[in-house]
């Protein structure tokens, strides 16, 4: 007989009650995911401000990128050698599989740095807020996800509406800035989808992905230093305590966001990861308004808050349901039945 108490434990799909161990594991996994989201939000929002400040002191975005890539990749390698974490060694099959993701990752970082060079932080956030709509459609087409629910579409439209409000308020329109912002929008949308595909298809540890992603991104970053002629800016750079401190902090946060980012990508869908990235920018806005005067006006920040509000009501779309195969209407002929019975008799013998 089943208990009539309203406080009884929930039944599983098989009608049995879950064991205390399974309940503990479920709560532990949910808590671990929450910590992963919090860690990613803090590192992502803070690093954006640090990079903007670093470029104010020393205007060499690709040099800054190389330093942070070395910090993240080098840290993963050292942690692995010391036995603190498990890091996949460089192997040609994995390098070939991971290389397209590395190029997309580098393109996203490169366009992000160029955006910060020409535009303010809020403009970068607004264009990032537009990514979920593109990702939602592409997930349905390519990653076997259902289309978002009505509630989620309302969320995505709020994000788009807030972006439009910001664009209207942007009186300091800059052609170069918007060229890089639209480039960033396209590259980041592809990055969210393709890196999720790589994370699911290439079996590696989280620190292994950090190592591969950062180390393999260094050569194209070095090439861009010379193509963009940043060596002259580097010669004229003034290094002092504030500039060195900000660059050092950026390196620390680059290690943290590399781990937190890949850890979270493995746990949630591409669109959920994108929306979390939008939501965490509320921290960036608060820091940006507090730290300095290089930020949008009241109307622009209002548009950003609409984006944030939209992101809070988003729900992850489920996987597409696989069509069930109908039972076969084929009936075996008498001769087939005789053969089947004979086979079963032999099996029993």
């Amino acid at each position: 007989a089943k208990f009539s108490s309203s406080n009884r434990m929930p039944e599983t799909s098989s009608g049995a009650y879950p064991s205390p161990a399974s309940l503990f594991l479920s709560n532990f996994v949910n808590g671990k995911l929450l910590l992963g989201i919090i860690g990613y939000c803090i590192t992502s929002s803070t690093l954006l401000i640090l990079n903007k400040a670093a470029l104010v002191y020393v205007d060499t975005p690709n040099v800054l990128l190389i330093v942070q890539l070395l910090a993240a990749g080098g840290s993963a390698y050292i942690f692995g050698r010391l036995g603190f974490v498990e890091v996949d060694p460089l192997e040609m099959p994995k390098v070939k599989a991971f290389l397209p993701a590395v190029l997309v990752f580098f393109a996203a970082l490169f366009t992000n740095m160029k955006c910060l060079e020409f535009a303010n932080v809020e403009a970068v956030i607004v264009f990032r807020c537009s990514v979920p709509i593109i990702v939602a459609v592409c997930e349905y087409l390519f990653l076997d996800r259902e289309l978002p629910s009505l509630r989620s579409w309302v969320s995505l439209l709020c994000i788009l509406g807030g972006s439009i409000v910001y664009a209207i308020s942007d009186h300091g329109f800059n052609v170069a800035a918007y060229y890089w912002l639209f480039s960033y929008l396209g590259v980041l949308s592809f990055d969210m989808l393709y890196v999720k595909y790589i994370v699911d298809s290439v079996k590696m540890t989280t620190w292994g992905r950090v190592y591969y992603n950062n180390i393999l991104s260094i050569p194209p970053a070095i090439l861009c230093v010379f193509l963009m002629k940043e060596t002259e800016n580097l010669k004229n750079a003034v290094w002092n305590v504030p500039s060195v401190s900000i660059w050092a902090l950026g390196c620390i946060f680059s290690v943290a966001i590399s781990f937190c980012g890949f850890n979270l990508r493995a746990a949630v869908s591409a669109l959920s990861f994108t929306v979390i990235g939008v939501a965490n920018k509320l921290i960036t806005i608060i820091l940006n308004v507090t730290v300095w005067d290089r930020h949008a006006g009241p109307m622009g920040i209002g548009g950003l808050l609409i984006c944030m509000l939209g992101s809070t009501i988003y729900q992850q779309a489920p996987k597409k349901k696989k069509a069930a195969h109908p039972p076969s209407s084929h009936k075996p002929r008498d001769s087939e039945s005789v053969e089947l019975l004979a086979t079963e008799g032999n099996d029993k013998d």
Side-chain angles (χ1 to χ4, degrees), residues 227-250:
L227 290 177
M228 298 292 177
K229 299 179 180 179
E230 291 185 7
T231 51
E232 293 299 320
N233 290 349
L234 194 60
K235 291 177 182 177
N236 299 327
V238 177
W239 296 100
N240 49 35
V241 174
S243 62
V244 172
S245 299
I246 289 174
W247 277 55
L249 277 174

Side-chain angles (χ1 to χ4, degrees), residues 238-297:
V238 177
W239 296 100
N240 49 35
V241 174
S243 62
V244 172
S245 299
I246 289 174
W247 277 55
L249 277 174
C251 290
I252 295 171
F253 274 85
S254 69
V255 178
I257 195 174
S258 292
F259 173 78
C260 292
F262 275 113
N263 190 49
L264 190 58
R265 281 179 193 267
V268 300
S269 71
L271 184 53
S272 294
F273 182 80
T274 309
V275 173
I276 291 169
V278 170
N280 74 49
K281 293 303 179 283
L282 180 59
I283 304 173
T284 305
I285 297 169
I286 295 171
L287 288 173
N288 195 48
V289 172
T290 304
V291 171
W292 56 12
D293 58 355
R294 301 185 182 212
H295 52 74

